[in-house]
Amino acid sequence: MTNSHKPSAQAEHPLTLIPGPVEFTDEVLAAMATPSQSHVSPQFVEVFGDALALLRQLFFNTDKSAQGFAIAGAGTLGWDFVAANLIEPGEEALVLHTGYFADSFAECITTYGGKVTQLKAPIGDVVPLEDVESALMQKKFKLVTITHVDTSTGVLSDIKTLSALIRKVSPETLVIVDGVCSVGVEEIRFDDWDLDLVLTAPQKAIGVPAGLSIFIASGRAIDVFKTRKSPPTSYYASFAKWLPIMQNYEAKKPSYFSTPPVQNIHALLASLKQILSVPLEDRFAAHARMSDRIKSTIASYGLKQVAIREGYQAHGMTAVYLPEGVTLPELLPRIAKRGIVLAGGLHKAIATKYFRIGHMGVSVTDDDRHDFDKALAAIKESFGEAGYIC
Amino acid sequence: MTNSHKPSAQAEHPLTLIPGPVEFTDEVLAAMATPSQSHVSPQFVEVFGDALALLRQLFFNTDKSAQGFAIAGAGTLGWDFVAANLIEPGEEALVLHTGYFADSFAECITTYGGKVTQLKAPIGDVVPLEDVESALMQKKFKLVTITHVDTSTGVLSDIKTLSALIRKVSPETLVIVDGVCSVGVEEIRFDDWDLDLVLTAPQKAIGVPAGLSIFIASGRAIDVFKTRKSPPTSYYASFAKWLPIMQNYEAKKPSYFSTPPVQNIHALLASLKQILSVPLEDRFAAHARMSDRIKSTIASYGLKQVAIREGYQAHGMTAVYLPEGVTLPELLPRIAKRGIVLAGGLHKAIATKYFRIGHMGVSVTDDDRHDFDKALAAIKESFGEAGYIC
């Protein structure tokens, strides 16, 4: 873990302990302030190339037929990349629904002409494997999407088992993982688990300010793209445009389609270097320990998680139901007054009934910050003020 | 002008004097390093709302039926917003071609199903008004696109006259301006000139690192969107998603579709405050003076511009043909050795035959920097070393 004993260079600010954006390290913020550089300068080509190479490590990827991408945009844009490149109008997609974000991904696929079947789990739960298997046997799906961690519920999907199942029942179906709230905190073995595309955003467990769409695509996914019958249905979110650009930058050759966000890429490299300075297994274990601590403390307060099934709970966030008689406006401002920013609910069906804690990145890995000592104390005191004694 | 007498806080670095990214002010870079903030926190909502309000001023916009947008992405993404929202599959677009970027915009429109007619000017020139008029009379176009400044040629289009012509001949046709290399340096009176959408990127005359798609859409354009027969053909680049978000943030209400790039928006606000601290007319005049100086110096060196027609030459960049016997690899590395980064050619037909100088932003407005004294001297000396005596 990063046991930084330096005082932070950052101005005093409320601690942002939501499921992204998370707190950033001084080094990452300094990289965001990199003086201007040409996007085709040798200096920047070096930085971008290194960032793309390190990105593979975050996914335990060594198979060079896969390719990492980092493009100006947002996690959301990753859905457009999938929908505009890996499925053609009229083809079928199976969306496994564990919260708010599956509905959005499904809508995105529909926008580009894909036909979506959703398998919806009850709120807080995952879709049973047998339901996935029977759906796969009824129809040929071009791809299946899985939200690794649904930020609206904190439900963690078992992408390893799901991928194995999909590969067994429907070998050609692409396995697409929405890893927005999982990459950098949950184990993802891209090659070993035979995944086809994992998309994410920087402002969660990667610890970089929002502004990038980050994803890795398998050789199989790239082949599916290359053998499309129709051209990609997006211009900006087109593999045809970006694949050669990413390949070139990773080979340390300048290349141009659209000006990359130079400073955000510097910040990505800075954070990847910090993340990969310790074995990823240690990073995951530190997040798991913190998650256990937060979840058991919450339970000791008599509060229940939205994610109901043990083993299917995210390690980078916790969604917590409010107790009877306490509302979000009675709780969150009191916590904010104590310098801690938590998030309200996001899942439409229960949005006013729960709150969310993000526990990812430097707030977890830098023990000296004591961010969650402060946060858990603030939660307890604020509940007390609101009339609920933890 | 900003006559900053403070020494820069930035690390020593080569001067980036290309047609974007440009040099940034210390204040803008400091804003890029803003500590983490929730994207729905009152602090950030305030910043985003202020940035959207100031953005209107950059376009002399007071008509509230128009709306400004600032979205994680790139200038290129602005084309997708146009093509996915303002034209429906099968409808006609007229693209006025003054360089490389019109071909790309045309390809983007085609990607989303629009039918494109291009009017191509000879390299370095603009399309004659009578050609535009006769094209408009032959067919009903849903929209016309004009590249205000084509970064590949330095040709400046007369968008005021073109807009008036379009409005006269074909009143319902939307007037779309690609202002990537013009917003912040060329006059754009959005309301008075009756424009419908101007798109741009931050890393040019707005003086903010790359990472945003910025545009303003007229009430007419928004109505055209709202009365579409078919839904928008992009998910991320959808007015349906972003229009309410931008309206909410500008009204200082938090709102969520996709996490905005908090730090880039802080930087946008910081730069807009600096830009708008002097009358825009003064800013344009300063850029015009610098442009005149550079263009006349270049002429005194016996060199010719790519943009051949007086009055149709950009004020924020100059594209310069190499003299007989000097190649880019003989010139640009020599200039780089003197600490100045210029750009090579971009227009495919002549890419190896010219170079480009960007003169936008703080390098122009801060007299104390003397960036172009250094650059012009470096150009002269480097040509000398390459065997061409200026």
Side-chain angles (χ1 to χ4, degrees):
Chain A
M1 306 310 92
T2 323
N3 273 299
S4 135
H5 294 283
K6 285 182 303 182
S8 167
Q10 298 172 42
E12 190 81 26
H13 64 278
L15 284 179
T16 303
L17 301 177
I18 64 177
V22 302
E23 288 288 307
F24 307 119
T25 65
D26 292 353
E27 292 76 8
V28 165
L29 290 178
M32 285 293 286
T34 300
S36 191
Q37 251 175 15
S38 165
H39 50 299
V40 291
S41 65
Q43 294 84 352
F44 178 65
V45 171
E46 191 71 21
V47 165
F48 205 167
D50 288 348
L52 289 169
L54 288 187
L55 193 58
R56 294 181 184 272
Q57 295 185 30
L58 204 54
F59 297 98
F60 299 97
N61 163 255
T62 55
D63 177 352
K64 289 296 168 80
S65 73
Q67 180 61 49
F69 295 70
I71 291 165
T76 309
L77 182 65
W79 299 337
D80 288 71
F81 270 102
V82 170
N85 295 284
L86 298 183
I87 181 166
E88 301 194 50
E91 291 181 336
E92 303 279 346
L94 181 64
V95 172
L96 306 190
H97 184 291
T98 51
Y100 175 87
F101 289 94
D103 287 324
S104 307
F105 202 163
E107 186 189 344
C108 178
I109 292 169
T110 307
T111 299
Y112 288 96
K115 290 180 157 178
V116 171
T117 302
Q118 280 210 56
L119 290 181
K120 293 204 181 199
I123 293 174
D125 209 345
V126 291
V127 180
L129 285 176
E130 48 275 24
D131 293 4
V132 179
E133 181 160 13
S134 91
L136 287 171
M137 296 202 302
Q138 278 164 37
K139 215 186 260 183
K140 175 76 180 284
F141 290 100
K142 186 68 172 285
L143 53 84
V144 176
T145 76
I146 312 164
T147 315
H148 197 184
V149 168
D150 195 292
T151 318
S152 76
T153 57
V155 169
L156 172 69
S157 292
D158 177 359
I159 57 171
K160 180 184 179 184
T161 302
L162 284 164
S163 179
L165 172 67
I166 296 161
R167 207 55 78 212
K168 189 188 73 181
V169 182
S170 181
E172 288 174 21
T173 297
L174 298 176
V175 180
I176 310 295
V177 175
D178 177 339
V180 166
C181 200
S182 77
V183 173
V185 52
E186 310 289 353
E187 185 178 27
I188 301 176
R189 295 193 177 267
F190 188 78
D191 297 1
D192 292 352
W193 298 353
D194 210 4
L195 307 174
D196 289 304
L197 188 138
V198 181
L199 64 93
T200 192
Q203 74 274 11
K204 312 225 175 195
I206 295 178
V208 171
L212 292 171
S213 168
I214 297 172
F215 55 95
I216 182 167
S218 70
R220 186 192 295 116
I222 291 168
D223 286 345
V224 163
F225 164 72
K226 286 185 173 163
T227 54
R228 281 178 72 93
K229 292 182 289 289
S230 55
T233 47
S234 170
Y235 183 77
Y236 185 69
S238 165
F239 276 21
K241 298 300 180 189
W242 286 111
L243 181 62
I245 304 292
M246 295 298 136
Q247 288 169 335
N248 283 340
Y249 272 105
E250 194 168 348
K252 307 277 173 92
K253 288 185 285 196
S255 194
Y256 177 71
F257 162 59
S258 164
T259 307
V262 170
Q263 280 65 16
N264 304 63
I265 298 292
H266 272 270
L268 176 62
L269 177 60
S271 195
L272 289 174
K273 281 182 176 172
Q274 292 185 317
I275 289 172
L276 296 165
S277 68
V278 295
L280 277 176
E281 290 81 356
D282 294 358
R283 179 179 178 84
F284 300 153
H287 280 86
R289 278 194 305 276
M290 181 62 82
S291 181
D292 288 349
R293 178 184 162 199
I294 289 167
K295 287 173 173 61
S296 64
T297 306
I298 287 300
S300 77
Y301 293 170
L303 302 173
K304 280 198 333 198
Q305 286 184 59
V306 174
I308 50 175
R309 194 177 292 272
E310 187 118 6
Y312 296 85
Q313 293 162 333
H315 297 99
M317 64 165 290
T318 305
V320 185
Y321 279 115
L322 292 166
E324 200 71 34
V326 179
T327 64
L328 286 175
E330 288 168 330
L331 180 69
L332 294 184
R334 288 195 165 97
I335 295 175
K337 236 183 275 171
R338 290 170 166 83
I340 308 287
V341 180
L342 302 183
L346 186 59
H347 193 297
K348 279 170 194 156
I350 53 170
T352 59
K353 297 184 178 161
Y354 73 110
F355 66 100
R356 295 175 300 148
I357 311 167
H359 31 91
M360 288 175 269
V362 69
S363 292
V364 170
T365 57
D366 183 348
D367 302 329
D368 293 336
R369 294 175 62 111
H370 302 289
D371 285 359
F372 290 101
D373 298 342
K374 298 172 202 164
L376 289 169
I379 292 171
K380 185 175 183 154
E381 292 165 20
S382 301
F383 267 125
E385 279 185 16
Y388 177 82
I389 307 306
C390 295
Chain B
M1 307 309 94
T2 323
N3 272 300
S4 135
H5 292 284
K6 286 182 302 182
S8 167
Q10 297 172 43
E12 189 82 26
H13 63 278
L15 284 180
T16 304
L17 302 177
I18 64 178
V22 303
E23 289 288 308
F24 307 118
T25 66
D26 292 352
E27 291 77 7
V28 164
L29 290 178
M32 285 293 286
T34 301
S36 190
Q37 251 176 16
S38 165
H39 50 298
V40 290
S41 65
Q43 294 84 352
F44 179 64
V45 170
E46 192 70 22
V47 165
F48 204 167
D50 287 349
L52 290 169
L54 289 187
L55 192 58
R56 294 181 185 272
Q57 294 183 31
L58 204 54
F59 296 99
F60 299 97
N61 162 254
T62 55
D63 178 353
K64 288 297 168 80
S65 73
Q67 180 60 49
F69 295 70
I71 292 165
T76 309
L77 182 64
W79 298 338
D80 288 71
F81 270 102
V82 170
N85 294 284
L86 299 183
I87 180 166
E88 301 194 50
E91 290 180 337
E92 303 279 347
L94 181 65
V95 171
L96 307 189
H97 185 291
T98 51
Y100 176 87
F101 289 94
D103 288 324
S104 306
F105 202 162
E107 188 189 343
C108 178
I109 293 169
T110 307
T111 298
Y112 289 96
K115 290 181 156 177
V116 171
T117 302
Q118 280 210 56
L119 291 180
K120 294 204 179 197
I123 293 174
D125 209 346
V126 292
V127 180
L129 286 176
E130 48 276 24
D131 293 5
V132 179
E133 181 160 14
S134 91
L136 288 170
M137 296 203 301
Q138 278 163 38
K139 214 186 261 184
K140 175 77 180 282
F141 290 100
K142 184 70 173 283
L143 53 85
V144 176
T145 76
I146 312 163
T147 315
H148 197 184
V149 168
D150 194 292
T151 318
S152 76
T153 57
V155 169
L156 172 69
S157 292
D158 178 359
I159 57 173
K160 179 185 179 185
T161 302
L162 284 164
S163 180
L165 172 66
I166 296 161
R167 208 55 78 211
K168 189 189 72 180
V169 182
S170 181
E172 289 174 18
T173 297
L174 297 176
V175 180
I176 310 294
V177 176
D178 178 338
V180 165
C181 200
S182 78
V183 173
V185 51
E186 310 290 351
E187 184 178 29
I188 302 176
R189 296 193 176 267
F190 189 77
D191 297 1
D192 292 352
W193 297 354
D194 210 4
L195 307 174
D196 290 304
L197 189 138
V198 182
L199 64 94
T200 190
Q203 74 274 12
K204 311 225 173 195
I206 295 179
V208 171
L212 293 171
S213 168
I214 296 172
F215 55 94
I216 183 167
S218 71
R220 186 193 295 116
I222 291 168
D223 285 345
V224 162
F225 165 72
K226 287 185 173 165
T227 55
R228 281 178 72 92
K229 291 182 289 290
S230 55
T233 47
S234 170
Y235 183 77
Y236 186 69
S238 163
F239 276 21
K241 299 299 179 190
W242 286 111
L243 182 61
I245 304 292
M246 295 298 136
Q247 288 168 335
N248 282 341
Y249 272 106
E250 194 168 348
K252 305 277 173 91
K253 288 186 284 195
S255 195
Y256 177 71
F257 163 58
S258 164
T259 308
V262 170
Q263 281 65 17
N264 304 62
I265 298 291
H266 272 270
L268 176 61
L269 177 60
S271 196
L272 289 174
K273 280 182 177 172
Q274 292 185 317
I275 289 172
L276 296 165
S277 67
V278 295
L280 277 176
E281 290 80 357
D282 293 358
R283 179 179 178 84
F284 300 152
H287 279 87
R289 279 195 304 276
M290 181 62 81
S291 181
D292 288 349
R293 177 184 162 200
I294 288 167
K295 288 172 173 60
S296 65
T297 306
I298 288 300
S300 78
Y301 292 170
L303 302 172
K304 281 198 333 197
Q305 287 184 61
V306 175
I308 50 176
R309 194 177 291 272
E310 187 119 8
Y312 297 85
Q313 293 162 333
H315 298 99
M317 64 165 289
T318 305
V320 186
Y321 279 115
L322 292 166
E324 199 71 34
V326 179
T327 65
L328 286 175
E330 289 167 329
L331 180 68
L332 294 185
R334 289 195 165 96
I335 296 175
K337 237 183 275 172
R338 290 170 166 82
I340 307 286
V341 180
L342 302 183
L346 186 59
H347 194 297
K348 278 170 195 156
I350 53 172
T352 60
K353 297 184 178 161
Y354 73 110
F355 66 100
R356 295 173 300 148
I357 312 167
H359 30 91
M360 290 175 268
V362 69
S363 291
V364 170
T365 56
D366 183 347
D367 301 329
D368 292 336
R369 293 176 61 112
H370 303 288
D371 285 358
F372 291 100
D373 298 343
K374 299 171 201 165
L376 289 168
I379 292 170
K380 185 175 183 153
E381 291 165 18
S382 301
F383 267 124
E385 280 184 16
Y388 178 82
I389 307 306
C390 295

